[in-house]
Amino acid sequence: MRRRNTVLQRKQLTWLCCSIFMIAGLLFGVVQLDRWIRPDVLAVCAQECQSAASVQIGESIHKVLQETDSQYTDFAVLLYDTDGAVTAVETKTTQINRMQAQLLTQINQDLQAVRAETFPVSLGTATGIWLFAGKGPTLSMKMLPIGTAKVQLISQLESVGINQTCHTIRADVTITLQAAAPFTELQQLHSFPIS
């Protein structure tokens, strides 16, 4: 009886040790797999987030410009001398601030709507081996805007030739994004011409 209990205890101990080694091996394998595919998944996530954000911001700016029907003269006034030559550009800060606030509101609303969108990353692409690119089952990633976008309208004079200058007003939009998995943070600056 005692011998049978000892044999049974040895079998249980052996089974427990094997189970622990199998679980440890599985965890080690998962960690190694994560280390192997994480850089490629991060690169794909960064590219997808940048692409989606650029499209969304461009659409938001286009929507605001169409709704307000803004023209160059809404933001700046050219001052001429007696000969009809342009001597200065005077910006209308009230109009620029109003446009900046409208753009900020619209971009933030539209980026919040993007939260529902997902993009696929195939496991073949995640391995980083070019033979497997685009193949295999896909991981579903989500883009998460973090905080709010920052919009700044920039007025800029550039020389475009002899005695010629070009005045432009552009929107610099800075956003911070994160992919839902593997939780990587991306900060992006997008610049769009307004007039």
Side-chain angles (χ1 to χ4, degrees), residues 67-167:
E67 287 173 0
T68 59
D69 195 30
S70 299
Q71 304 294 324
Y72 175 77
T73 53
D74 296 333
F75 303 110
V77 176
L78 299 176
L79 302 176
Y80 300 92
D81 63 8
T82 54
D83 297 330
V86 176
T87 57
V89 176
E90 185 178 293
T91 56
K92 299 178 181 178
T93 55
T94 306
Q95 288 295 98
I96 287 177
N97 289 339
R98 185 176 296 129
M99 175 60 72
Q100 191 168 310
Q102 288 173 331
L103 287 172
L104 183 63
T105 303
Q106 187 66 50
I107 289 169
N108 282 321
Q109 284 175 355
D110 291 345
L111 283 176
Q112 291 303 318
V114 171
R115 281 183 181 265
E117 291 184 19
T118 60
F119 53 91
V121 177
S122 73
L123 284 179
T125 302
T127 63
I129 300 171
W130 66 271
L131 286 172
F132 301 142
K135 295 185 172 94
T138 59
L139 302 170
S140 188
M141 302 292 173
K142 250 185 193 180
M143 184 178 71
L144 303 173
I146 303 170
T148 58
K150 295 175 186 166
V151 177
Q152 185 176 12
L153 291 182
I154 307 286
S155 175
Q156 185 176 12
L157 277 171
E158 293 179 84
S159 176
V160 292
I162 299 171
N163 294 329
Q164 293 182 356
T165 56
C166 177
H167 180 244

